[in-house]
Amino acid sequence: MTSTAPAKTAPAKTTAEKTGAHTEEAATLIDDARSRIDTLDDRIIGLVQERMAVSAVIQEARITSGGRRISLSREMEILASYRDALGRPGTSLAMTLLELCRGRA
């Protein structure tokens, strides 16, 4: 027979412990900034989903008119734009977006 003793719960962490900050002032700043980042991430995800939907419309129109699903010259423009705006890591970000927006072949 197994024991049904209540599980021990760890005491709640302070804001400083959760953030890794050494002062409550820094912890509050970090906590607020993380909240802003979460909001921004939600917006970015929504924009990526919107971009995927618009890309699907473009691909469908291109395919129905007898063209190819992907325009490599357009993708190169996008890669260059992200690289110019964000530096080398921007290229990786653009590649990820392009992959997400290509949909299924």
Side-chain angles (χ1 to χ4, degrees):
M1 195 180 224
T2 58
S3 171
T4 56
K8 293 183 182 180
T9 57
K13 289 184 175 182
T14 66
T15 306
E17 290 171 328
K18 285 191 255 180
T19 63
H22 293 286
T23 66
E24 281 300 320
E25 181 181 354
T28 300
L29 186 137
I30 291 168
D31 203 38
D32 291 346
R34 284 181 177 173
S35 180
R36 287 177 52 209
I37 285 175
D38 291 344
T39 300
L40 289 168
D41 284 343
D42 289 343
R43 288 173 48 198
I44 291 167
I45 290 167
L47 289 170
V48 170
Q49 290 170 331
E50 184 178 349
R51 189 188 195 289
M52 290 168 68
V54 171
S55 183
V57 169
I58 292 168
Q59 290 176 47
E60 180 64 26
R62 192 180 294 123
I63 290 168
T64 355
S65 71
R68 301 182 74 179
R69 185 172 60 88
I70 296 170
S71 169
L72 295 178
S73 62
R74 174 65 177 150
E75 288 194 356
M76 294 306 290
E77 290 174 14
I78 292 166
L79 290 169
S81 174
Y82 275 74
R83 183 191 63 242
D84 292 346
L86 303 172
R88 191 170 172 193
T91 304
S92 297
L93 177 59
M95 278 303 301
T96 300
L97 282 172
L98 290 170
E99 287 176 26
L100 284 168
C101 293
R102 284 180 186 142
R104 297 185 185 252

